[in-house]
């Protein structure tokens, strides 16, 4: 599943291509056709992301709510738009660009109050200027759940996925099995500040890099990581490999339905 930086990047890409224009909206696959008919020719006035949720604003009153889920894909291309292939749920097209959305979990026309209800049930998003990290901290300090599971809970903090949670815990030497209530305010501050920086860099580069300058392939004289997720990381999908910092073996285990990765030596209980 894409992490929050991907969705914020998509919000920027939709805005760059369509903001202030009146795109044609169609649903070649059919499911979104009634809403596309209502929206076609309306001005795209705003785009926004909150965690893994993408919002496209038309006029002042209509929002498309998109959640990619595990299989959703967005592809941009230059005009003229080709005939749609596969199951395109939503195509927007203007005189310069088209964009196809395929296979999302959610693609729905919603009202401003419905949009607000989605914001209300999500935790603060490190990529949003209006985020309140204390809101997440209050939930974490009340919880006996592991910090690794809490970081994946979108009601606690929005946009963090499996890669960022593993990497930020490594970067701060925090055992992923520690209970939320045992995370100190200073540790939470450091985690939040780091997520803000790392995730903004993720939006800029459209990939996740988390290693400090002294641990890049160039600095360490090691080959770059080969992985379809791209990016240089400390622990994510590095089970069995040596830790870039201590040389010990990176471990993996299932937690909160996803694989957790950590270095037991650098992240002691
Ligand atoms: Zn280590």
């Amino acid at each position: 599943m894409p992490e929050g930086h991907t969705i914020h990047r998509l919000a920027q890409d939709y805005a760059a291509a369509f903001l202030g224009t009146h795109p044609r909206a169609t649903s070649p696959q059919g499911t979104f056709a009634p809403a596309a008919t209502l929206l076609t020719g309306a001005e795209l006035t705003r785009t926004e992301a909150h965690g893994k949720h993408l919002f496209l604003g038309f006029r002042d009153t209509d929002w498309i709510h998109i959640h990619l889920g595990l299989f959703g894909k967005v592809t941009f291309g230059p005009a003229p738009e080709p005939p749609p292939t596969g199951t395109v749920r939503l195509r927007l097209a203007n005189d310069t660009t088209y964009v196809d959305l395929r296979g999302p979990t959610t693609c729905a026309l919603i009202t401003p109050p419905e949009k607000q209800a989605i914001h209300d049930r999500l935790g603060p998003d490190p990529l949003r200027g209006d985020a309140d990290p204390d809101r997440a901290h209050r939930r974490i300090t009340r919880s006996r759940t592991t910090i690794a599971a809490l970081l994946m809970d979108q009601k606690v903090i929005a946009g963090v996925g499996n890669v960022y949670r593993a990497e930020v815990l490594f970067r701060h030497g925090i055992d992923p099995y520690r209970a939320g209530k045992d995370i100190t305010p200073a540790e939470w501050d450091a985690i939040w500040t780091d997520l803000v920086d790392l995730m903004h860099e993720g939006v800029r580069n459209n990939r996740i890099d988390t290693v400090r300058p002294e641990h890049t392939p160039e600095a360490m004289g090691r080959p770059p990581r080969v992985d379809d997720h791209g990016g240089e990381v400390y622990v994510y999908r590095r089970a069995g490999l040596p830790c870039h910092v201590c040389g010990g073996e990176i471990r993996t285990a299932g937690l909160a339905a996803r694989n957790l990765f950590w270095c037991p030596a650098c992240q002691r209980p």
Side-chain angles (χ1 to χ4, degrees):
M1 184 172 311
E3 307 209 11
H5 70 296
T6 303
I7 309 307
H8 280 264
R9 176 64 180 245
L10 284 176
Q12 290 182 1
D13 290 347
Y14 269 96
F18 298 105
L19 206 64
T21 75
H22 298 70
R24 294 178 294 284
T26 53
S27 179
Q29 174 254 5
T31 315
F32 195 66
T37 303
L38 285 173
L39 291 174
T40 195
E43 183 184 357
L44 184 77
T45 49
R46 210 168 154 196
T47 70
E48 238 189 89
H50 188 157
K52 301 175 181 181
H53 299 257
L54 174 64
F55 302 95
L56 306 178
F58 291 85
R59 309 180 188 104
D60 290 327
T61 48
D62 297 316
W63 291 91
I64 300 179
H65 170 218
I66 295 167
H67 192 290
L68 294 181
L70 278 176
F71 305 110
K73 286 255 179 321
V74 174
T75 31
F76 287 82
E81 51 180 312
T85 55
T87 53
V88 176
R89 182 80 60 89
L90 171 65
R91 170 176 284 188
L92 299 181
N94 61 17
D95 294 342
T96 57
T97 313
Y98 74 94
V99 58
D100 285 343
L101 168 67
R102 292 183 175 82
T105 301
T106 304
C107 174
L109 183 59
I110 60 171
T111 63
E114 289 168 331
K115 175 171 176 282
Q116 188 56 48
I118 295 166
H119 292 300
D120 291 345
R121 66 166 192 258
L122 290 169
D125 176 344
L127 287 169
R128 284 179 67 94
D130 62 1
D132 173 13
D134 292 341
R135 224 180 106 205
H137 189 233
R138 282 195 294 275
R139 293 190 72 138
I140 288 167
T141 50
R142 287 201 309 258
S143 178
R144 292 171 189 279
T145 304
T146 62
I147 185 63
L150 289 165
L151 286 176
M152 294 283 278
D153 182 343
Q154 302 296 303
K155 297 187 296 300
V156 174
I157 179 170
V160 174
N162 210 12
V163 190
Y164 283 121
R165 75 133 173 211
E167 294 298 309
V168 80
L169 290 175
F170 178 88
R171 283 167 60 93
H172 296 276
I174 293 172
D175 173 16
Y177 289 98
R178 252 167 77 189
K181 64 183 177 53
D182 297 330
I183 300 293
T184 67
E187 282 171 332
W188 176 249
D189 272 357
I191 289 172
W192 177 269
T193 306
D194 208 19
L195 284 170
V196 170
D197 289 348
L198 290 172
M199 292 175 75
H200 275 103
E201 191 184 324
V203 175
R204 278 195 301 280
N205 301 337
N206 216 0
R207 67 173 214 177
I208 299 178
D209 289 280
T210 61
V211 300
R212 298 190 170 96
E214 62 269 35
H215 299 127
T216 61
E218 301 75 39
M220 295 182 73
R222 62 178 173 83
R225 175 167 174 261
V226 179
D227 187 289
D228 57 5
H229 285 228
E232 286 295 331
V233 296
Y234 284 109
V235 292
Y236 179 70
R237 284 196 183 177
R238 293 195 68 247
L241 295 172
C243 174
H244 292 325
V245 174
C246 74
E249 193 177 310
I250 303 299
R251 296 263 308 271
T252 186
L255 193 144
R258 305 290 295 278
N259 287 330
L260 176 66
F261 300 88
W262 80 108
C263 173
C266 292
Q267 298 168 265
R268 290 183 185 283

